[in-house]
Amino acid sequence: TETYIIVTTMLGNSIKGRVSIESPIGKALLGHRVGDEVFISLPGGGGYSVQIRAIRPFEGELAIRGY
């Protein structure tokens, strides 16, 4: 099991588990729901499937703040 935080391109950092919405996994996961099996296409060809097990709002340093 792996956990990812989907962020904008400027905040992407794979070491911290932040994947950009422009990355192959970010593009593939957007718009899907818990239980969906999603195929991640890789730039050089091929890919792999993942199953979405949970979706939670992020409450850390990148959380959207109200003004």
Side-chain angles (χ1 to χ4, degrees), residues 12-23:
N13 183 333
S14 60
I15 293 171
K16 293 185 178 181
R18 298 182 203 161
V19 296
S20 164
I21 58 175
E22 305 262 337
S23 69

Side-chain angles (χ1 to χ4, degrees), residues 28-44:
L29 292 174
L30 283 178
H32 289 277
R33 300 175 184 268
V34 172
D36 287 355
E37 190 158 322
V38 180
F39 185 76
I40 312 299
S41 297
L42 298 176

